[in-house]
Amino acid sequence: MENELLRQELNPFMPGAGMQPPELVGRERDLEIVDRMIARTKLNNLDRGIIFSGLRGVGKTVLLVKLQEMAAGKNMLTAKIESSGNPDDDYEAIFHEINLAAMKIHLVGGLKKRLGDVISNIKSMSFGAFGLSASVSRESSAQTSENPFKLELLIESITTELKKSNSGLYLFIDELQEMADEPLGTLMSIQHKMGQRSLPFYIIGAGLPNLPGVLSKSRSYAERLFEYRTIGQLSDADAAEGFQKPARRNGRPFTDDALNELIKVSSGYPYFIQAYGKAAWNASGSNPIPLQAVTKSEACARAELDDGLYSARWQRTTPPGRRYLAAMAKIGTESPSSTAEVADRLGKSTGEISMTRDKLIKLGLIYSPEYGKVAFTVPGMGEFILRAMPSDGQVYDGR
């Protein structure tokens, strides 16, 4: 029993939303791009922002956290928020995080004091409550209408000071597709203006596959404002490293046949790697970890994925939403579904189910990869739905 407990304590794998994996693999190119941005910023050369898009479970949040750490470690001023979809909350979070970053920055030449003076001066202007402090209460709608002006003034003033010290402001935004058009449009407009004024302000955002379309709809110049990066499944070689490197570092590597099976069942998704790696490690008392431990633990890994990725999303949808998702799953679990075929399976017209589709998109459960098509945002969601449905294949109104 003690050996088993010790084995679990030493387990390097841990699935979790946004948790840093023991080994970040397959993202070297993305790290290089931001490293180049930082180098250019130090030389007072301009660059574009970056947008990362992909399905859930591919490691976008983990990548943002890593990139922020890298930028902050090289004396860039960094702030990170997760969009809530509420304009007031998002503005308040941006103001607060930029202010907090300015208080923490460690640079020579009095930059910290100059940034503090900038913020104090802006706060003292007759805007009403500025919103930089976490304790500031939300005021009238007038405050909301002033937020774009306050934010532009803040960013212009801060980046003017940062440029003197060969630094820049990097704003990292997760779940960017959730952000309302205001402040989304304002942020893009500010980055556009700062570029015209040769001031180093960059948005580095992450979101679902529909994010590039959301940005383009908000501002026509979005295509030229960002470098777009699709974050997808890892290659077999990278997935193998994701399993084997931390396992070997902790003294219990996988056998070749065990590793091949793990690569197969994880499908190259970083979240799946953590779930299957954790289950196989805990299931094996041998060293190296054999194939039998992997196959024995696969049901446990799937249960962890069900709890961590699927169940809550399935349960929080309405009965019509669950029927729509079930129809998609029956059509196919891998490829996008035709909205016309979904409607046909539900015995309705596409117009009758359009509201349900839109609600599912807003919930982040599906997205539209092209006109007339819908797809799951969570890999494996279709298989989960087929497993979760009653044996008669019906989706009941009750939970």
Side-chain angles (χ1 to χ4, degrees), residues 81-386:
I81 72 162
E82 179 179 320
S83 177
S84 67
N86 181 292
D88 286 334
D89 289 345
D90 284 346
Y91 268 121
E92 185 174 331
I94 294 167
F95 285 132
H96 174 67
E97 292 301 320
I98 291 177
N99 180 56
L100 192 62
M103 292 170 59
K104 291 180 176 179
I105 195 167
H106 298 289
L107 286 178
V108 297
L111 176 59
K112 184 173 182 178
K113 181 181 184 305
R114 297 202 306 272
L115 293 180
D117 291 342
V118 164
I119 293 170
S120 295
N121 290 337
I122 294 175
K123 289 170 88 171
S124 67
M125 294 179 181
S126 57
F127 283 129
F130 187 58
L132 280 172
S133 169
S135 63
V136 169
S137 59
R138 194 167 295 128
E139 304 233 340
S140 65
S141 59
Q143 180 184 340
T144 301
S145 65
E146 290 172 355
N147 277 331
F149 303 103
K150 298 173 187 175
L151 187 57
E152 182 175 342
L153 180 58
L154 176 68
I155 290 175
E156 182 175 8
S157 301
I158 283 183
T159 52
T160 298
E161 293 300 327
L162 289 171
K163 186 175 181 180
K164 296 174 186 177
S165 297
N166 305 110
S167 184
L169 174 57
Y170 288 59
L171 178 60
F172 295 83
I173 309 177
D174 203 3
E175 300 293 349
L176 186 54
Q177 81 285 339
E178 296 288 341
M179 188 171 282
D181 191 55
E182 176 59 52
L184 178 61
T186 291
L187 282 170
M188 288 195 289
S189 177
I190 291 173
Q191 181 177 304
H192 189 49
K193 290 178 182 178
M194 295 306 103
Q196 293 171 331
R197 299 168 192 169
S198 298
L199 293 174
F201 169 61
Y202 304 112
I203 299 166
I204 300 180
L208 293 175
N210 63 326
L211 177 55
V214 171
L215 299 179
S216 180
K217 184 178 179 181
S218 179
R219 290 294 185 272
S220 60
Y221 49 76
E223 293 179 0
R224 306 183 300 278
L225 197 61
F226 300 105
E227 180 168 348
Y228 290 88
R229 301 283 298 169
T230 299
I231 304 299
Q233 296 160 266
L234 297 174
S235 68
D236 285 355
D238 287 333
E241 282 196 14
F243 281 113
Q244 195 69 295
K245 274 192 173 182
R248 184 176 289 120
R249 189 165 53 240
N250 284 269
R252 297 179 67 234
F254 297 101
T255 63
D256 289 343
D257 53 356
L259 186 59
N260 289 335
E261 177 66 12
L262 287 169
I263 293 169
K264 175 185 173 183
V265 295
S266 68
S267 302
Y269 291 111
Y271 193 99
F272 290 18
I273 288 174
Q274 297 305 305
Y276 281 100
K278 174 187 174 183
W281 178 285
N282 287 342
S284 173
S286 303
N287 189 359
I289 299 172
L291 173 62
Q292 295 93 313
V294 175
T295 54
K296 182 174 71 173
S297 66
E298 285 179 12
C300 180
R302 281 194 298 271
E304 175 123 29
L305 290 172
D306 287 353
D307 291 339
L309 280 179
Y310 308 125
S311 295
R313 289 183 169 92
W314 173 250
Q315 290 297 331
R316 77 168 180 252
T317 58
T318 62
R322 291 198 289 276
R323 287 193 289 271
Y324 193 105
L325 295 175
M328 287 177 59
K330 291 175 183 176
I331 292 170
T333 58
E334 300 293 335
S335 302
S337 304
S338 161
T339 54
E341 189 172 354
V342 173
D344 184 61
R345 280 184 172 266
L346 294 173
K348 298 180 180 294
S349 69
T350 54
E352 288 176 306
I353 60 171
S354 61
M355 186 176 295
T356 300
R357 179 202 61 209
D358 292 345
K359 286 181 179 178
L360 291 171
I361 290 175
K362 288 181 180 178
L363 281 172
L365 288 171
I366 64 173
Y367 71 102
S368 178
E370 58 182 287
Y371 182 78
K373 298 281 187 179
V374 286
F376 294 110
T377 61
V378 187
M381 186 73 183
E383 290 90 338
F384 164 78
I385 292 170
L386 295 179

